[in-house]
Amino acid sequence: MVADWKMRKIEIFENERATGYDQFVERWIPNYHYFMGHLPDLLSDAYPKELLVVGCGTGNEIMCFVNSPERWQITGIDPSPGMIIQAREKLKNRDNVKLIEGLVTDLAIDKKYNAATLLLVLHFIEDNGNKLQILKGIADRLMPGAKFVILDITGDKKQIRDNLEVLKLLLPQGLNEQEISERLNRIENKFHTVSEERLSELLQEAGFEKPLRFFQSSIYMGWITHKKPNPDLHGGSTI
Ligand SMILES: C[S@@+](CC[C@H](N)C(=O)[O-])C[C@H]1O[C@@H](n2cnc3c(N)ncnc32)[C@H](O)[C@@H]1O
């Protein structure tokens, strides 16, 4: 029988890909910890502090919020059992963190959050309606005006190719040449990356404002946007 996530084309992280993930980010994502570490600052104006972390993986972004001075109520969701297990281990005894194995569309629609993150997830999802679906799924669970932060591999083909050359120069010494070339090839040819313009279009179609690119480290771009305000309260149709 074909696993449900295979049929739904969900990128599941299992076995060594899951257990080795934290080591992988150290090597392959320059400034990963800088970006994560400043997330609580970026979202500090959210009130109440109700955060939705979609594709939370091993819980790295959630750790930054539980270690920040403000007390957040956090829901982390991820479809990979191997990733959620590690997040549960890291975050055990944290009564302000709820971890769920699943997709954002599995979450109740009546619970609304005041902030959300989607870090290093979107490039695994095809732009055939599926990217829009996850972004809409997030927008539907946010209060009007809520902040949303994305980190993703972004760019048109040429931009990705040029930034991969930059990434190559930033990789730590001692990585295996074959591993480097396989991974760079996978990023260039197998991931579902989109241009900055397309990302902006998808976000606006899903119910967000035009996003701002506020961060870049080679192929990785950080974006910030807000859920559009409720049209009923801002001069929308009165019919
Ligand atoms: C590269 S990891 C990022 C984990 C974490 N956000 C981080 O930045 O360290 C990608 C994660 O996306 C999850 N994922 C894959 N497809 C997803 C989907 N459709 N919705 C939510 N998460 C998804 C995977 O299970 C995996 O844990």
Side-chain angles (χ1 to χ4, degrees), residues 39 49 58 61 67 69 80 98 103 114 122 140 168-169 190 198 223 225:
L39 281 172
K49 302 242 165 298
T58 62
E61 54 270 58
N67 290 330
S80 297
K98 193 157 131 194
L103 297 174
N114 232 330
L122 217 42
D140 287 347
K168 240 195 253 180
L169 300 171
K190 299 276 192 262
R198 178 65 185 146
W223 299 87
T225 183

Side-chain angles (χ1 to χ4, degrees), residues 196-208:
E196 298 186 54
E197 293 73 23
R198 178 65 185 146
L199 180 63
S200 176
E201 204 174 85
L202 283 164
L203 280 164
Q204 290 176 76
E205 196 178 339
F208 293 98

Side-chain angles (χ1 to χ4, degrees), residues 42 147-150 210-214 222-226:
L42 283 174
K147 242 183 213 177
F148 177 37
V149 175
I150 296 183
K210 187 172 179 203
L212 172 73
R213 170 163 54 79
F214 69 94
W223 299 87
I224 199 156
T225 183
H226 295 84

Side-chain angles (χ1 to χ4, degrees), residues 36-147:
M36 294 277 166
H38 285 284
L39 281 172
D41 302 328
L42 283 174
L43 296 177
S44 60
D45 49 357
Y47 188 81
K49 302 242 165 298
E50 298 258 9
L51 173 69
L52 174 60
V53 179
V54 179
C56 65
T58 62
N60 290 342
E61 54 270 58
I62 298 180
M63 276 305 283
C64 296
F65 284 92
V66 296
N67 290 330
S68 78
E70 291 169 311
R71 186 174 163 87
W72 288 83
Q73 289 298 330
I74 306 164
T75 298
I77 186 155
D78 196 290
S80 297
M83 299 295 262
I84 279 283
I85 285 171
Q86 293 181 74
R88 290 208 169 109
E89 184 55 34
K90 265 185 212 166
L91 292 156
K92 63 183 172 205
N93 307 326
R94 302 291 187 159
D95 62 0
N96 54 334
V97 178
K98 193 157 131 194
L99 293 168
I100 299 165
E101 186 188 312
L103 297 174
V104 67
T105 41
D106 297 330
L107 291 173
I109 194 88
D110 51 341
K111 160 92 186 132
K112 306 287 184 204
Y113 299 83
N114 232 330
T117 62
L118 181 69
L119 308 185
L120 302 171
V121 176
L122 217 42
H123 59 271
F124 293 119
I125 300 175
E126 283 182 74
D127 187 15
N128 57 357
N130 292 353
K131 274 191 207 290
L132 186 61
Q133 188 186 34
I134 183 174
L135 294 173
K136 275 193 169 148
I138 295 169
D140 287 347
R141 286 157 183 84
L142 291 178
M143 294 179 198
K147 242 183 213 177

